[in-house]
Each structure stands twice: as C-alpha cells, then as structure tokens.
Amino acid sequence: MQRQFDMFMLEAPDVLAVHWQWPIALGVILMILGLVAIWQATAATILYVRVLGLLIFIGAAMVFGFSFAFSGYWTEFFVHVLWAMLIGLVGLILLLRPAASAEAITLMVAVYFLISGLMTILFAHAGHVDNLWIYVTEGLINLGLGVLLLAGWPVTGLWAIGTFLGVDLLFKGSAIVALGLSLRAISA
C-alpha cells in the first residue's frame, strides 16, 4: 500500500498539487465527524443502523422491481419476490427497531472478532510466518475487542457501532489530511 502511495505522489498531476487545500478540508471535516460520532456514540449508532436499514429497504424495492421486469419464468419470479420480501423485512426491522438491531449487529461483530483473533493467532503459529509478533498482536487485539463487546452486551450494542465508526472516520480523515499535506509539499 505504501508503495502505491509513493508512486501516486511521484506521478501526481500538477493540477492535484495546486488544489491541496481540498483534501485537507475534507480530512478535517471527516475528523470532526469522527469526534462527534465518538462523543455521541449512541446517536451515531442509531443513525448508522437506520441509514443501513434504508439502504437495504431500497435494495429490496429494486429486487422487487427486477422480479417484474426481467424474470422470464414463474419460479424465478417467485424466488425474486420472496428474496425482495426477506430483504425488505430486514430493512424495515433495522429502520423501526434500530436499538435492538444495533445490539444484534454488535453481537455478530463480537463473535467475528473472537473467531478472527483466534484464527489469526492459530494460522500465524501453524504457518511459521515471519514477524510472528505482528500477527499475534493483531489476534490479541481482536480477541480483546470481542471479549469487551461480549462482556458488556447488550449495552455495548448501543455505543460500539458509533464508536467504531468515529474511530474509522478519524483515521480516514487523518490519512486524507496527510495526502493533502503531501500534495502541498509537491506544489511548493
């Protein structure tokens, strides 16, 4: 990844370097949004789950329309209609019951972290990889996050998604600011 970034910076068009302020502004906005999401983690979680539910419901409507427009056989038609109804039901549940949905999503994320952490550690030891400590550290962090989420569940379901979203926005915003500062250095 670093090599691709270095190649981009070496071959960056001059027009990008002239407008270095825009990436910095976007990065700062994302970082501010990340801080707000961490500060108001419960509200960010509810908002995120509702937006996810809306997107899933829109996807269900599109599948439903697809079933009438393009299905040639009755079996395909009914499979698409049933699929659209299932997707629509999930979208409605996320829209109408965001707190309970956030708890369920957090439970799945916690189980994912536990399994991912355990598998990362086991595969690193079994594969005799170089720099084993990096993989073991990653696995332990994943295990720790899984245990943290499960230990406080269902309460963690109300803040975990918003907090993770906020941290992600902070990191992405800081990366975009770094890109803007690199572009600034090129333009000077």
Side-chain angles (χ1 to χ4, degrees):
M1 183 70 173
Q2 182 63 30
R3 185 169 183 219
Q4 291 173 348
F5 179 75
D6 291 340
M7 292 299 294
F8 172 76
M9 293 310 297
L10 290 174
E11 299 174 5
D14 292 335
V15 76
L16 286 178
V18 172
H19 299 290
W20 57 268
Q21 303 94 341
W22 290 106
I24 291 177
L26 175 64
V28 168
I29 290 169
L30 288 178
M31 291 171 68
I32 291 170
L33 285 174
L35 289 172
V36 170
I38 292 170
W39 178 47
Q40 294 291 326
T42 302
T45 297
I46 299 299
L47 180 65
Y48 182 81
V49 170
R50 284 199 169 145
V51 168
L52 182 63
L54 180 64
L55 291 174
I56 290 173
F57 191 76
I58 290 170
M62 295 174 93
V63 170
F64 191 74
F66 173 81
S67 66
F68 284 102
F70 297 110
S71 296
Y73 300 106
W74 280 103
T75 54
E76 290 178 11
F77 171 76
F78 285 117
V79 167
H80 284 102
V81 167
L82 289 174
W83 180 245
M85 290 172 55
L86 179 63
I87 294 171
L89 180 63
V90 169
L92 278 177
I93 289 171
L94 291 173
L95 278 169
L96 299 177
R97 303 283 312 259
S101 299
E103 292 170 1
I105 291 170
T106 303
L107 181 62
M108 290 189 303
V109 169
V111 171
Y112 166 78
F113 277 139
L114 289 173
I115 293 171
S116 172
L118 185 63
M119 289 297 142
T120 301
I121 293 170
L122 291 176
F123 285 138
H125 281 293
H128 305 289
V129 297
D130 293 335
N131 298 323
L132 180 69
W133 67 273
I134 294 173
Y135 296 100
V136 171
T137 303
E138 176 190 355
L140 289 174
I141 289 171
N142 283 348
L143 281 172
L145 284 172
V147 168
L148 173 73
L149 290 175
L150 280 180
W153 192 82
V155 175
T156 55
L158 297 176
W159 60 262
I161 295 171
T163 303
F164 291 167
L165 177 68
V167 170
D168 184 55
L169 286 172
L170 270 176
F171 280 113
K172 282 188 174 47
S174 62
I176 293 172
V177 166
L179 172 67
L181 292 175
S182 298
L183 289 173
R184 179 180 177 210
I186 290 173
S187 71

